[in-house]
Amino acid sequence: MKMIRQYFDVRDVIWSSETKYSEGVLAINKAEVLQKAEPFMDSVARVDLEVVKPGERARIVHVLDTIQPMCKVSGAGQEYSGFFSQPLTVGEGVTNLFRGLTVMESAPLPWDESASSGLLYPRDAIVDMTGPIAGFTPFSETINLVLTYVLREGKSAAEYDRDIRLIGLTIARELAKLTEGQEPHAAEEFSIDEVNPDLPNVVLAWYCQNQGVYANTLLYGLPIDNLVPTLLHPNELLDGGVVSGNYAWPAFKVPTYLHVNHPIVLELYSQHGKTLNFRGVILGRSHNPTTWHKERAANFACKLARYLDAHGLIMAWEGGGNAAVDGMLTIQAAERLGIKTATITFEFGGEEGTEGVLLVDHVPEADAVISGGSIEKTYTLPAVERVVGGEVLRLNKEAGGYFPPAAESITFKNTTHFYCSGNQAGHSKLFAEAY
């Protein structure tokens, strides 16, 4: 399986009477682009577009998914297979991508009982383009085309979730089609067909959120409910085979953009044939309901790793406490089979990083743990000049709700509301070290 990604740099986005891409500038006619969303407006009353650029004193709130604009120009299937096409296996041929641009969704999803219950309601997710938390997310460094949604009343959580996603994927795809027939700024080939028998074989075990509407992951168009660990070619991730539907915990969320540009996958590819043989991605759900189910999944994953003759396994997961147990049991099972493991995870530790329990779960075999940083740090966000997505923040549903002005300075005792701050895909510059 061989895939070529062609990159088209976006250095600016402007409003125009014509939607086109030329010499690094994406010109957008709002009405023309929004017309593409009309077939998916059953639960959405209105969509608007706003552009947010690096360096702005801007804050984006109510952030849901963030999508890589891309389109397949050759090969089986299409980008984000299963949503607008038959679920054909992707990962071959040529795919065009905008580089430096995202399509980002923003909506104040209702806090009602039709969504995931308890702790899994859609929390407010914040992206600051400058200031102390900008580095938590890669999207402070991209131009973000933000889709802001006004929802119709009386629809279900499943309907909102479906329509918001289809609108975002459609606009991302239609914009990327503007690159067809143009010369890319760069191109990159991805293949793991050739292996060096003198190098160790390494796999990535990637466990994703799956706890219902607003806390989900979709594989070829369907949620990964009851999925046992499944082998994917890494190119399937890069071509959009996995799409996010997780809005429950902003810190731990892995948006679609990071599935498609998975930092660990890209790093393993960069080392393929040099220091290791990258043999594949084992995709699983990170929230199995009981210890029995977790052990079952861990053994399925390690069976696949063993079948691939893996010498090493990188364990990574999306989510918090429940997910950590899945990951640790997989590490334990792998090590007992003689497969060396390493993992990346957020930690606790309080303000100083040394207080109380550092990890949600731990097994003795987990002796190569990379810290993505602590989520228990206090941060004061400065006032900003511009807010996109809403005028107020939506915080603390459990206590009846707190709705401070989104543009003003505010202090958070932890990083739960900072988009992607858990750093579980290895995307940010945040790290910790012992000395």
Side-chain angles (χ1 to χ4, degrees), residues 194-201 273-277 309 311:
E194 295 183 9
V195 297
N196 183 336
D198 297 326
L199 296 175
N201 298 326
K274 300 175 183 175
T275 62
L276 55 84
N277 297 315
D309 195 26
H311 303 98

Side-chain angles (χ1 to χ4, degrees), residues 13 40 82 84 101 146 151 154-155 170 177 181 184 197 246 275 323 330 353 376 416:
V13 175
F40 313 109
F84 306 105
L101 174 74
V146 184
L151 306 178
K155 300 293 186 177
T170 295
K177 285 182 178 179
N246 175 24
T275 62
T330 302
E376 291 189 330
T416 297

Side-chain angles (χ1 to χ4, degrees), residues 180-191:
E180 291 179 353
Q182 299 196 40
E183 284 296 315
H185 292 94
E188 197 171 8
E189 183 178 282
F190 294 90
S191 174

Side-chain angles (χ1 to χ4, degrees), residues 321-358:
N322 191 331
V325 179
D326 292 278
M328 288 297 170
L329 287 174
T330 302
I331 289 170
Q332 186 173 68
E335 290 279 350
R336 288 176 176 177
L337 290 172
I339 301 171
K340 298 297 183 182
T341 61
T343 190
I344 178 171
T345 178
F346 68 90
E347 57 180 280
F348 296 113
E351 287 289 339
E352 300 302 318
T354 57
E355 303 168 21
V357 176
L358 297 182

Side-chain angles (χ1 to χ4, degrees), residues 409-430:
S409 177
I410 183 172
T411 297
F412 288 88
K413 294 296 185 182
N414 57 54
T415 70
T416 297
H417 287 281
F418 305 160
Y419 197 62
C420 303
S421 61
N423 193 22
Q424 291 173 287
H427 56 270
S428 88
K429 299 179 177 65
L430 186 71

Side-chain angles (χ1 to χ4, degrees), residues 49-296:
L49 305 177
E50 296 202 44
V51 177
V52 184
K53 301 176 183 179
E56 283 191 66
R57 286 187 59 193
R59 176 167 298 147
I60 311 170
V61 299
H62 315 329
V63 181
L64 302 177
D65 198 13
T66 302
I67 302 165
Q68 168 69 63
M70 65 181 187
C71 68
K72 286 196 72 64
V73 294
S74 71
Q78 68 175 67
E79 67 290 332
Y80 305 116
S81 180
F83 287 97
F84 306 105
S85 66
Q86 294 299 109
L88 299 179
T89 301
V90 291
E92 295 186 280
V94 178
T95 299
N96 288 0
L97 298 85
F98 275 137
R99 190 163 60 179
L101 174 74
T102 79
V103 170
M104 184 178 285
E105 303 163 351
S106 168
L109 292 170
W111 287 346
D112 61 36
E113 297 308 315
S114 70
S116 303
S117 61
L119 296 174
L120 298 175
Y121 67 90
R123 285 170 172 77
D124 210 341
I126 303 167
V127 172
D128 272 11
M129 300 302 287
T130 58
I133 70 164
F136 280 123
T137 174
F139 307 118
S140 62
E141 299 178 358
T142 55
I143 300 174
N144 303 305
L145 180 66
V146 184
L147 313 184
T148 59
Y149 297 79
V150 177
L151 306 178
R152 300 185 193 277
E153 293 185 3
K155 300 293 186 177
S156 69
E159 290 172 305
Y160 294 136
D161 181 48
R162 177 199 65 206
D163 292 348
I164 287 170
R165 178 179 303 110
L166 292 178
I167 290 169
L169 291 173
T170 295
I171 290 176
R173 175 187 63 185
E174 293 301 318
L175 290 175
K177 285 182 178 179
L178 298 171
T179 64
E180 291 179 353
Q182 299 196 40
E183 284 296 315
H185 292 94
E188 197 171 8
E189 183 178 282
F190 294 90
S191 174
I192 57 172
D193 291 348
E194 295 183 9
V195 297
N196 183 336
D198 297 326
L199 296 175
N201 298 326
V202 177
V203 297
L204 168 64
W206 179 228
Y207 291 178
C208 300
Q209 190 97 16
N210 174 235
Q211 292 176 287
V213 178
Y214 297 162
N216 222 334
T217 305
L218 299 99
L219 174 64
Y220 285 94
L222 287 180
I224 58 172
D225 300 342
N226 300 315
L227 181 79
V228 294
T230 297
L231 180 62
L232 297 183
H233 192 287
N235 290 1
E236 294 179 81
L237 272 178
L238 301 185
D239 230 7
V242 176
V243 169
S244 174
N246 175 24
Y247 321 128
W249 293 96
F252 307 138
K253 175 176 174 52
V254 178
T256 299
Y257 183 98
L258 287 175
H259 287 296
V260 171
N261 299 287
H262 200 297
I264 299 173
V265 169
L266 295 177
E267 178 64 21
L268 287 169
Y269 252 126
S270 76
Q271 294 303 309
H272 180 72
K274 300 175 183 175
T275 62
L276 55 84
N277 297 315
F278 186 15
R279 300 314 300 139
V281 176
I282 299 170
L283 181 77
R285 57 177 301 209
S286 60
H287 293 80
N288 288 287
T290 70
T291 301
W292 185 92
H293 289 86
K294 293 176 186 297
E295 290 182 348
R296 174 175 176 262

